[in-house]
């Protein structure tokens, strides 16, 4: 228990935990060449499939079917990208995915912060039970909601429309719990009390005290939610058709085509992953930090 | 906070604060002077605000979560007792336990259950072991430590669809990268799509690839919280690195390891996207011989390919029961471990 709180306190300053790690490593843990070698192998395994996707996307279907497989880029990239774009309707799909993932992210971050703040700092009846319920429901598999949701959305005439995909994901138990854990530490209770004494309403407090304090965690939760929403598969594939797909649904239709052109499929996979990879290049450090932060607490 | 005092000072206002009175209604205070009027209005608003705000803040979460997760959960149970066909959604008839009886006598259900277990096992165990080792390495004093972490996490940002499409090609029978590499080691080409274990391994490897880095980061976070003096005293006792890892790191990580085991088990029980896409056209069947049809796939197949939504609901609930059993076993094991310590 005490260990946890030390590490949590340290994590807030960002640098401290790494120092602790070094101290924990202290005497012996300078990485040697073997460590770098093994890490390099892991890195290769992590990156190679992605790099090879790009290689395959620049070849022709016939070349991909031959042995040995191509190990360097060919000249067909743009033809394949165009074909994938047209065949899978990736233009619509990308736009849909941006709308879906964007809406879900904004709503999840907003509502998670509000609920997380209430659970972390406000006193109200049943708060303990409700928090327990929140955590407990993290175990419920999404499959359990799919049949009724499908029936309801069909009844509303909403099948194949974006709100069908958006609505069930507007909030997550994980997000609420994540924000609660962060705010318990990051938001001094005295600050809220001082604002109360000054006569600030709860909304003012949220706006002027909670949101600024929660900003780093909101950013991380936002990134994690966006990755999750962009990659979500089960519900979109049931709720949407190829006429109005998200990127994942479009990729699925590419992959299950009856006359598949592998090079085109790889071009599609490349396109579908690219936005997230770019986000990852830009915010990789924050995403890593966020996962590590959510980890022990989870 | 100061509500009892205020109630004493303004008896009229406290009477007004009775339930049912709109918080903004200043009517009753008219007889008083202007300042007192403002004061009591404020006081009442303030009290109302502090009481109601927490509920207002958690309400969106519980309303949305309840409507789209908890209530559907119960409806799924209800539908699992009905005959609901995709072709005639409005025509539902009571079926009692027929859907469940059907499941229990279906070879495909047991096959899917078995596959879910075996794929779950061969994806979770190596994944977590590799993550543990990787975290140990990342915990060394490294040049470019952030870069290493980001690189290890890249597969996490790759979608199931994109990753599976690539791996499917890597595992193809002729011309596939994997078989081509194996041939340098003198291994006969493996039919990754059709063979029993080969295909299950192939599907598992996609899961392993996507999630190892993620779990490594979780372990790394926990490792950095281990106090340095534990290692120091172990070193004084003459423990080498491996012994330190075994006797200090692993025991200290036990809660985190348990956490990742639970999360991965939940994930494995729901496995869906990887086998669906790996199978291509026959995806929902889990291959020609159903060799990698998981429970998740089986549900999708029965519900949306065959069109029996009642049966699909029954499968969903079986998955839930399975999870509950796993959770219970987990709890028991944890208790045992704690007691034995």
């Amino acid at each position: 228990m005490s260990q946890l709180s030390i590490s949590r306190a340290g994590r807030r300053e960002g640098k401290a935990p790494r120092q602790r790690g070094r101290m924990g490593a202290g005497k012996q843990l300078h990485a040697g060449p073997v460590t770098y070698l093994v890490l390099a192998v892991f890195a290769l395994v992590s990156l190679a499939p992605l790099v090879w996707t790009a290689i395959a996307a620049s070849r022709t279907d016939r070349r991909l079917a031959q042995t040995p497989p191509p190990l360097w880029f060919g000249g067909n990239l743009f033809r394949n990208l165009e074909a994938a774009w047209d065949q899978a309707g990736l233009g619509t799909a990308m736009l849909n995915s941006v709308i879906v993932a964007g809406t879900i992210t904004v709503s999840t971050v907003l509502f998670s912060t509000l609920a997380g703040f209430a659970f972390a700092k406000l006193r109200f009846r049943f708060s303990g039970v409700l928090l327990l319920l929140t955590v407990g429901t993290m175990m419920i598999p999404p499959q359990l909601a799919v049949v009724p949701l499908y029936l309801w959305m069909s009844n509303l005439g909403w099948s194949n429309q974006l709100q069908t995909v958006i609505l069930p994901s507007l909030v997550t138990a994980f997000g609420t719990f994540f924000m609660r854990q962060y705010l318990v530490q990051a938001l001094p209770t005295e600050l809220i009390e001082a604002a109360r004494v000054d006569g600030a309403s709860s909304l003012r407090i949220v706006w002027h005290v909670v949101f600024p304090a929660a900003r780093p965690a909101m950013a991380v939760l936002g990134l994690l939610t966006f990755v999750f929403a962009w990659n979500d598969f089960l519900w979109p594939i049931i709720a949407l058709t190829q006429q109005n797909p998200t990127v994942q649904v479009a990729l699925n239709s590419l992959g299950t085509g009856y006359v598949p052109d592998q090079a085109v499929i790889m071009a599609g996979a490349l396109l579908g992953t690219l936005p997230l990879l770019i986000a990852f290049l830009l915010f990789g450090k924050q995403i890593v930090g966020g996962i590590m932060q959510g980890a022990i607490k989870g | 906070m100061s509500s009892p005092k205020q109630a004493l000072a303004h008896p009229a206002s406290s009477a007004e604060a009775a339930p049912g009175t709109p918080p903004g209604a200043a009517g009753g205070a008219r007889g008083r002077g202007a300042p007192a009027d403002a004061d009591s209005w404020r006081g009442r608003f303030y009290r109302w605000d502090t009481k109601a705000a927490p509920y207002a803040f958690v309400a969106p979460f519980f309303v949305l979560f309840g409507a789209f997760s908890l209530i559907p959960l119960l409806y799924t149970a209800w539908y699992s007792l009905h005959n609901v066909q995709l072709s005639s959604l409005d025509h539902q008839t009571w079926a009692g336990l027929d859907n469940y009886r059907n499941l229990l006598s279906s070879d495909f259900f047991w096959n899917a259950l078995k596959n879910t277990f075996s794929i779950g096992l061969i994806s979770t165990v190596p994944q977590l072991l590799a993550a543990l080792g990787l975290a140990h390495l990342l915990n060394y004093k490294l040049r470019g430590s952030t870069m290493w972490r980001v690189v290890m996490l890249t597969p996490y940002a790759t979608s199931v669809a994109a990753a599976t499409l690539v791996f499917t090609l890597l595992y193809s029978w002729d011309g596939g990268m994997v078989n081509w590499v194996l041939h340098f080691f003198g291994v006969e080409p493996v039919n990754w799509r059709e063979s029993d274990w080969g295909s299950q391994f192939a599907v598992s490897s996609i899961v392993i690839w996507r999630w190892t880095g993620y779990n490594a980061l979780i372990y790394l976070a926990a490792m950095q919280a281990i106090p340095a003096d534990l290692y120091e005293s172990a070193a004084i006792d003459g423990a080498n690195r491996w012994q330190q890892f075994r006797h200090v790191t692993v025991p200290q990580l036990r809660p985190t390891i348990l956490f990742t085991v639970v999360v991965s088990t939940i994930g494995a029980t729901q496995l869906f996207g990887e086998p669906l896409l790996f199978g291509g056209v026959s995806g929902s069947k889990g291959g020609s011989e159903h060799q990698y049809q998981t429970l998740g796939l089986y549900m999708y197949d029965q519900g949306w390919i065959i069109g029996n939504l009642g049966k699909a609901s029954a499968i969903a609930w079986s998955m839930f029961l399975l999870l509950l059993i796993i959770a219970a076993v987990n709890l028991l094991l944890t208790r045992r471990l704690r007691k034995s310590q």
Side-chain angles (χ1 to χ4, degrees):
Chain A
M1 200 59 217
S2 65
Q3 264 166 259
L4 274 183
S5 52
I6 291 169
S7 75
R8 278 182 197 172
R11 211 168 299 111
R12 247 193 297 156
E13 276 112 67
K15 267 191 179 161
R18 208 173 300 158
Q19 272 166 5
R20 285 196 62 81
R22 278 186 198 143
M23 271 168 18
K27 296 192 171 147
Q28 86 276 29
L29 290 187
H30 253 287
V34 179
T35 305
Y36 282 107
L37 189 75
V38 179
L39 281 180
V41 171
F42 266 110
L44 189 75
V45 172
S46 295
L47 294 181
L50 294 170
V51 176
W52 196 74
T53 309
I55 292 176
S58 71
R59 292 289 184 156
T60 62
D61 185 42
R62 210 176 331 136
R63 180 63 191 84
L64 285 180
Q66 287 164 5
T67 321
L71 293 175
W72 194 247
F73 297 90
N76 258 321
L77 182 63
F78 290 100
R79 191 195 67 87
N80 290 334
L81 289 179
E82 216 181 304
W85 187 271
D86 292 342
Q87 279 179 34
L90 272 177
T92 323
M94 291 259 191
L95 185 67
N96 282 346
S97 276
V98 168
I99 295 171
V100 167
T103 316
I104 288 174
T105 302
V106 170
S107 136
T108 301
V109 169
L110 177 72
F111 291 138
S112 297
T113 311
L114 286 178
F117 163 57
F119 279 130
K121 296 289 169 180
L122 302 180
R123 287 188 187 172
F124 55 103
R125 280 191 85 181
F126 307 121
S127 63
V129 180
L130 289 178
L131 184 65
L132 208 68
L133 181 74
T134 307
V135 176
T137 51
M138 279 163 39
M139 252 188 74
I140 299 175
Q143 275 90 345
L144 270 172
V146 155
V147 172
L149 285 179
Y150 181 82
L151 290 169
W152 297 346
M153 300 298 180
S154 306
N155 272 334
L156 288 169
W158 280 1
S159 25
N160 210 21
Q161 290 181 27
L162 290 188
Q163 68 263 34
T164 310
V165 184
I166 294 172
L167 276 171
S169 299
L170 281 176
V171 294
T172 59
F174 168 78
T176 302
F177 187 63
F178 181 85
M179 289 311 297
R180 187 243 168 212
Q181 295 300 84
Y182 182 84
L183 286 173
V184 163
Q185 299 284 323
L187 182 61
T189 310
E190 306 86 61
L191 215 58
I192 301 167
E193 276 165 9
R196 277 265 151 80
V197 171
D198 286 347
S201 69
S202 299
L203 272 183
R204 275 181 84 88
I205 292 176
V206 164
W207 188 254
H208 291 287
V209 182
V210 178
F211 280 168
R215 199 174 294 150
M218 288 166 90
V220 166
L221 180 62
L223 287 167
L224 292 178
T225 309
F226 195 88
V227 171
F228 164 79
W230 185 276
N231 287 340
D232 195 19
F233 194 67
L234 173 70
W235 178 229
I237 219 166
I238 288 172
L240 298 177
T241 63
Q242 289 170 37
Q243 271 70 54
N244 194 28
T246 58
V247 169
Q248 309 311 324
V249 177
L251 287 183
N252 180 53
S253 70
L254 253 193
T256 52
Y258 276 84
V259 200
D261 181 321
Q262 299 294 348
V264 173
I265 293 178
M266 288 301 103
L270 188 65
L271 279 174
T273 312
L274 219 50
L276 276 199
L277 284 184
I278 292 170
F280 217 67
L281 278 180
L282 296 175
F283 304 111
K285 204 175 157 186
Q286 281 81 351
I287 298 181
V288 165
I291 286 178
M292 286 182 58
Q293 188 179 40
I296 310 185
K297 298 173 172 180
Chain B
M1 235 176 284
S2 53
S3 63
K5 257 191 225 161
Q6 273 174 343
L8 280 176
H10 307 288
S13 76
S14 85
E16 266 166 36
T21 315
R30 235 173 253 148
R32 295 169 177 276
D37 183 34
D39 205 41
S40 76
W41 182 86
R42 270 202 171 180
R44 262 181 295 139
F45 172 75
Y46 182 85
R47 280 199 306 279
W48 172 82
D49 178 56
T50 13
K51 267 200 183 152
Y55 298 105
F57 292 158
V58 296
F61 168 72
F62 279 103
V63 169
L64 288 168
F65 195 76
F68 296 110
S69 290
L70 291 182
I71 297 176
L73 176 91
L74 301 175
Y75 265 95
T76 304
W78 179 247
Y79 289 133
S80 76
L81 303 174
H82 284 76
N83 184 5
V84 189
Q85 297 296 326
L86 194 64
S87 48
S88 54
L89 289 179
D90 295 326
H91 189 74
Q92 297 159 11
T93 50
W94 178 255
L97 290 174
D98 278 1
N99 285 321
Y100 290 96
R101 241 176 262 134
N102 243 321
L103 276 190
L104 293 181
S105 62
S106 154
D107 288 344
F108 293 126
F109 172 74
W110 293 108
N111 172 60
L113 187 67
K114 190 194 84 206
N115 288 345
T116 306
F117 262 112
S118 58
I119 296 178
L121 212 62
I122 51 181
S123 61
T124 309
V125 175
Q127 179 196 148
L128 293 182
L129 286 177
L132 197 58
L134 186 57
H136 181 67
L137 295 181
L138 288 171
N139 199 22
Y140 282 62
K141 194 174 175 183
L142 280 173
R143 266 171 214 282
S145 59
T146 308
M147 180 209 65
W148 289 111
R149 292 175 197 176
V150 173
V151 167
M152 301 304 172
L153 196 61
T154 349
Y156 165 79
T158 317
S159 67
V160 187
T164 309
L165 291 175
V166 179
F167 274 81
T168 308
L169 195 49
L170 291 174
Y171 279 118
S172 57
W173 164 248
D174 39 34
M177 183 78 82
V178 177
N179 276 342
W180 179 67
V181 171
L182 283 181
H183 119 106
F184 286 111
F185 295 97
V187 180
E188 289 288 304
V190 178
N191 193 340
W192 300 105
R193 298 288 285 280
E194 304 298 327
S195 64
D196 245 17
W197 283 102
S199 60
Q200 293 208 357
F201 175 83
V203 169
S204 304
S205 70
I206 308 169
V207 182
I208 296 172
W209 181 73
R210 280 187 73 221
W211 292 101
T212 301
Y214 176 89
N215 283 307
L217 287 183
I218 290 178
Y219 288 145
L220 179 62
M223 279 181 189
Q224 298 195 329
I226 300 175
D229 34 328
L230 283 180
Y231 287 102
E232 273 156 27
S233 51
I236 291 169
D237 289 345
N240 62 27
R241 282 187 190 186
W242 169 244
Q243 285 166 332
Q244 288 182 19
F245 178 74
R246 259 220 65 188
H247 297 292
V248 179
T249 311
V250 174
Q252 288 285 317
L253 287 188
R254 197 166 286 157
T256 315
I257 292 175
L258 205 76
F259 167 76
T260 53
V261 168
V262 172
V263 171
S264 315
T265 310
I266 295 174
T269 317
Q270 301 164 22
L271 192 68
F272 169 71
E274 288 89 345
L276 178 73
L277 276 141
F278 191 73
V281 179
S282 64
S284 67
K285 305 272 180 262
S288 50
E289 306 281 323
H290 300 254
Q291 61 271 44
Y292 46 90
Q293 186 174 45
T294 58
L295 282 175
L297 266 191
Y298 187 52
M299 186 198 94
Y300 178 70
D301 187 57
Q302 294 301 311
W304 282 273
I305 307 296
I306 292 176
N308 190 344
L309 288 172
K311 196 168 169 191
S313 303
I315 301 169
W317 260 86
S318 321
M319 288 170 74
F320 191 42
L321 292 182
L322 188 69
L323 270 177
L324 290 180
I325 293 171
I326 293 172
V329 169
N330 228 311
L331 205 70
L332 277 176
L333 281 179
T334 327
R335 287 236 175 104
R336 271 279 163 80
L337 276 175
R338 253 187 224 143
K339 266 184 197 161
S340 69
Q341 260 184 336

